[in-house]
Structures are given as structure tokens and as C-alpha cells.
């Protein structure tokens, strides 16, 4: 697995003609951003923060998608319980 990751980083760096360290920095930034968004949305659906705060932190479209996803899960559970 580590070899695959190393090879991917090397390939991306070569294709973009930038150092591997810059690729790793960008990957870390993207990963942390995604984890932050996940955390904010988790806090929102768990009623730890309000909708307005969630929208301010991660944008309205992401909050709406989380709401749709949560509703879909709740609908599936209800369907399963009634079947």
C-alpha cells in the first residue's frame, strides 16, 4: 500500500512538474478540509450546532446535502420497520 501511495505521489509530482513535498502538502490540506467538513456536518445532524452556524462554516449546499442524506436514511429505516 505504501509503495502504491509513493508511486502515485511521484506520478502526480512529475505530471504537474512540482516537488513531491508540494503534492503531500496539498493532499494534507484537502484531507484536513474534508475531515473538517465531516465534523461540522456531524455536529449539525447531532444537534450540537445550529443550521445557520453549519451553513456559515461549510456552505449551504453541503448542509442541504447532509439533510437529504439523513432524510434518506430515516426513510429507509421507516420502510424497513414497516415491511
Amino acid at each position: 500500500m505504501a509503495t502504491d501511495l509513493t508511486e502515485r505521489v511521484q506520478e502526480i509530482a512529475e505530471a504537474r512538474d512540482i516537488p513531491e513535498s508540494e503534492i503531500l502538502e496539498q493532499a494534507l490540506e484537502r484531507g484536513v478540509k474534508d475531515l473538517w467538513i465531516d465534523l461540522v456536518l456531524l455536529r449539525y445532524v447531532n444537534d450540537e450546532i445550529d443550521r445557520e452556524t453549519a451553513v456559515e462554516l461549510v456552505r449551504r449546499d453541503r448542509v442541504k446535502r447532509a439533510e437529504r442524506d439523513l432524510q434518506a436514511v430515516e426513510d429507509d429505516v421507516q420502510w424497513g420497520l414497516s415491511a
Side-chain angles (χ1 to χ4, degrees):
M1 180 74 165
T3 303
D4 291 340
L5 183 59
T6 301
E7 290 172 356
R8 289 177 183 174
V9 169
Q10 290 171 343
E11 187 174 343
I12 294 167
E14 289 172 8
R16 294 185 178 178
D17 195 31
I18 58 177
E20 290 177 31
S21 60
E22 192 170 330
I23 298 301
L24 294 172
E25 181 181 345
Q26 290 175 10
L28 181 61
E29 287 174 2
R30 283 187 186 186
V32 169
K33 180 180 178 183
D34 288 346
L35 292 171
W36 169 251
I37 291 168
D38 290 348
L39 176 63
V40 169
L41 294 174
L42 179 65
R43 287 178 173 166
Y44 169 61
V45 300
N46 286 335
D47 293 323
E48 296 173 21
I49 61 173
D50 61 32
R51 188 176 197 279
E52 184 178 324
T53 301
V55 168
E56 288 174 11
L57 293 171
V58 298
R59 296 194 335 238
R60 185 173 311 282
D61 61 322
R62 288 191 173 116
V63 172
K64 284 184 176 182
R65 181 175 180 186
E67 291 168 339
R68 284 193 308 267
D69 291 349
L70 182 60
Q71 186 62 52
V73 170
E74 289 173 355
D75 291 348
D76 285 350
V77 169
Q78 287 301 317
W79 178 84
L81 292 173
S82 66

